[in-house]
């Protein structure tokens, strides 16, 4: 199994998974999954800061200028384009080290299939089901 999560969806995925009421094994593997996502989120945030620095006006020492706690961006269009590119990059989770975690998260998503979700929760639930190939899992179960 291979899971791909865009950087721009990390926060929503973390928040959605965090709010699920789970116990024992499901809770442990949810924690592992969230930790994996959080680790990537830290890298993305560092990259975002570097992009902001790169696109900022510089002082006489070549340091990015900060005004009111924000980088003073000189070309917002270029910065926005680079930010979109960063948000579109994907975290890829695959391999034997993650196999049990991915299978467990798939079971968690299946368990919450009958729940009603609204707005962002609905969107991220559908996205996660797509990534964890929930439809394929159902097809395999029906054939067996």
């Amino acid at each position: 199994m291979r899971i791909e999560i865009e950087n721009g969806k990390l926060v929503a995925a973390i928040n959605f998974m965090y709010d699920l009421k789970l116990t024992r094994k499901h809770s442990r593997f949810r924690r592992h999954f969230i930790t994996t996502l959080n680790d990537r989120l830290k890298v993305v945030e560092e990259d975002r800061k570097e992009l902001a620095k790169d696109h900022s006006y510089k002082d006489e020492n070549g340091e990015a200028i900060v005004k009111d706690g924000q980088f003073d961006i000189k070309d917002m269009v270029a910065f926005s384009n680079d930010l979109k590119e960063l948000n579109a990059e994907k975290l890829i989770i695959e391999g034997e080290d993650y196999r049990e975690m991915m299978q467990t998260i798939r079971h968690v998503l299946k368990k919450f299939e009958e729940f009603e979700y609204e707005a962002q929760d609905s969107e991220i639930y559908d996205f996660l089901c797509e990534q964890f190939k929930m439809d394929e899992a159902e097809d395999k179960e029906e054939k067996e």
Side-chain angles (χ1 to χ4, degrees):
M1 184 184 310
R2 175 185 169 111
I3 307 302
E4 296 181 3
I5 300 179
E6 295 170 7
N7 290 339
K9 296 190 183 213
L10 290 170
V11 171
I14 290 166
N15 291 338
F16 177 81
M17 293 302 297
Y18 184 79
D19 288 339
L20 297 179
K21 292 182 183 359
L22 302 172
T23 59
R24 301 188 334 255
K25 181 179 180 179
H26 289 168
S27 181
R28 281 193 314 278
F29 279 104
R30 175 207 22 215
R31 188 175 61 247
H32 295 304
F33 184 56
I34 288 174
T35 298
T36 301
L37 299 180
N38 268 324
D39 290 346
R40 176 57 175 250
L41 188 58
K42 289 175 189 172
V43 171
V44 170
E45 183 56 26
E46 289 172 21
D47 289 347
R48 190 198 63 74
K49 285 180 185 175
E50 286 303 313
L51 283 175
K53 286 180 186 178
D54 291 346
H55 286 282
S56 292
Y57 289 104
K58 307 291 190 276
D59 63 16
E60 60 276 355
N61 298 324
E63 297 293 321
I65 296 174
V66 177
K67 290 184 179 177
D68 298 324
Q70 301 283 330
F71 289 102
D72 188 12
I73 307 293
K74 62 182 170 186
D75 184 351
M76 201 55 132
V77 172
F79 175 65
S80 292
N81 288 338
D82 285 350
L83 203 54
K84 284 179 190 171
E85 186 177 273
L86 175 63
N87 285 333
E89 292 174 9
K90 296 177 181 175
L91 164 66
I92 297 174
I93 304 171
E94 66 182 340
E96 282 300 309
D97 290 345
Y98 296 104
R99 187 174 63 82
E100 189 172 3
M101 177 187 72
M102 290 187 293
Q103 288 175 340
T104 302
I105 297 301
R106 177 189 267 176
H107 288 290
V108 166
L109 293 171
K110 177 81 171 151
K111 177 180 171 183
F112 287 92
E113 188 173 46
E114 299 301 319
F115 283 64
E116 288 187 25
Y117 302 103
E118 295 180 356
Q120 186 176 0
D121 282 346
S122 176
E123 184 179 324
I124 200 65
Y125 178 78
D126 290 346
F127 173 77
L128 289 171
C129 286
E130 201 174 283
Q131 293 309 304
F132 281 88
K133 299 176 177 40
M134 295 301 291
D135 292 337
E136 289 178 22
E138 289 173 11
D139 290 345
K140 285 180 184 177
E141 289 171 7
E142 287 175 8
K143 289 178 184 176
E144 293 175 352

